[in-house]
Amino acid sequence: MTSIFDAATSVLRASDASEKARAGREVHDSWAAGDIDMNPGTSSLPERPGRPESPVLVPPAHVPKRKVGTPEGRIALLHALTHIELNAIDLAFDMIARFGPGVPDDIRHEFITDWLTVGDDECRHFLMLSDHLQALGSSYGALPAHDGLWEAALKTTDDVMARLAIAPLVLEARGLDVTPQMIDSLRHAGDATSAQILSVIYEDEISHVAIGARWLKELCSRAGFDPRERFQDYVRERFPGGLKSPFNHEAREMAGLERNFYLNLTE
């Protein structure tokens, strides 16, 4: 029987973006069917996840403008979001492969199941957006993108609590803040299809942040740390520049990320 840690690593190593997404969904389904176990894996983690030859990675300032009032601007926005979802796939499966073996035995299965749920959602999001780009006459890889998400992940490879603080509770929580405005802008531009796709992603993101918050609190409790203080320490140490307002307080609180976690971390 395949180890979940080897299976997650194989998703990380996949270089074709659509194949990565499909492989991630297959791993999720195989785990749910009981066809994958928690035995120690034999695969070594790659230094960086597999990536297609395109998009070309450039500094953030060189990424195309995303003005939703034009078809070109909407494609640029959707392309950027598709790239984010590809990174999110790797973040979820890296969470399993890198940190799953070190999670206490009594909660390891639940930890893996939660992050496979997140990973499956991210795979589905990527495929939805990629297909929509195709319908609009573009494709993932047609525009440049930046590597900021994975660069942030590289700063948390040593500590599962640091990864939980930065990936779901900073990076994905930011999606809760900005996505509703993007949805409204797309609707006003007459692009109901794109707005609906983003609405689906937004609702899933609330559950992803909730999973991140729950696991940070659980692991902090077991280690004798105050989760709010630990979160703030990690942000100050590993996310220079602080957090950006405005915040979607309602969605964050639905996800278990209370205001006293983040309000004093703004720029």
Side-chain angles (χ1 to χ4, degrees), residues 11-14 20 46-51 87 90 150:
V11 175
L12 287 169
R13 290 187 177 278
K20 183 190 291 285
E47 291 186 11
R48 299 183 69 86
R51 284 286 185 270
N87 278 271
D90 286 323
W150 198 256

Side-chain angles (χ1 to χ4, degrees), residues 68-69 74 181-192 195:
V68 299
R74 290 194 291 277
Q181 183 177 356
M182 288 191 286
I183 293 169
D184 288 344
S185 297
L186 288 165
R187 285 177 177 153
H188 289 149
D191 190 346

Side-chain angles (χ1 to χ4, degrees), residues 59-137:
H62 296 170
V63 173
K65 301 299 182 184
R66 309 165 193 173
K67 297 180 179 179
V68 299
T70 67
E72 295 81 9
R74 290 194 291 277
I75 285 173
L77 171 64
L78 293 167
H79 189 279
L81 295 174
T82 308
H83 184 65
I84 288 171
E85 295 298 335
L86 182 67
N87 278 271
I89 294 170
D90 286 323
L91 284 168
F93 284 92
D94 189 74
M95 185 78 80
I96 295 164
R98 184 179 303 277
F99 299 115
V103 170
D105 292 349
D106 62 315
I107 55 173
R108 186 177 300 133
H109 189 280
E110 186 179 4
F111 179 89
I112 292 168
T113 299
D114 274 353
W115 290 105
L116 279 174
T117 299
V118 173
D120 187 56
D121 285 346
E122 308 296 17
C123 293
R124 178 167 46 84
H125 297 167
F126 174 86
L127 293 169
M128 288 168 55
L129 287 164
S130 179
D131 288 347
H132 189 44
L133 280 174
Q134 293 277 356
L136 294 175

Side-chain angles (χ1 to χ4, degrees), residues 19 36 57 65 74 98 101 108 114 139 204 211 225 231 233 244-245 250:
E19 288 181 6
I36 299 179
L57 299 179
K65 301 299 182 184
R74 290 194 291 277
R98 184 179 303 277
R108 186 177 300 133
D114 274 353
S139 62
D204 289 340
I211 287 170
F225 298 128
F231 171 74
D233 288 344
K244 294 181 179 179
S245 59
E250 181 180 359

Side-chain angles (χ1 to χ4, degrees), residues 136-151:
L136 294 175
S138 186
S139 62
Y140 177 62
L143 299 174
H146 68 79
D147 201 32
L149 281 177
W150 198 256
E151 288 174 359

Side-chain angles (χ1 to χ4, degrees), residues 180-210:
Q181 183 177 356
M182 288 191 286
I183 293 169
D184 288 344
S185 297
L186 288 165
R187 285 177 177 153
H188 289 149
D191 190 346
T193 302
S194 296
Q196 178 58 32
I197 291 172
L198 265 63
S199 295
V200 171
I201 292 173
Y202 173 71
E203 293 298 325
D204 289 340
E205 282 178 338
I206 294 174
S207 68
H208 298 175
V209 176

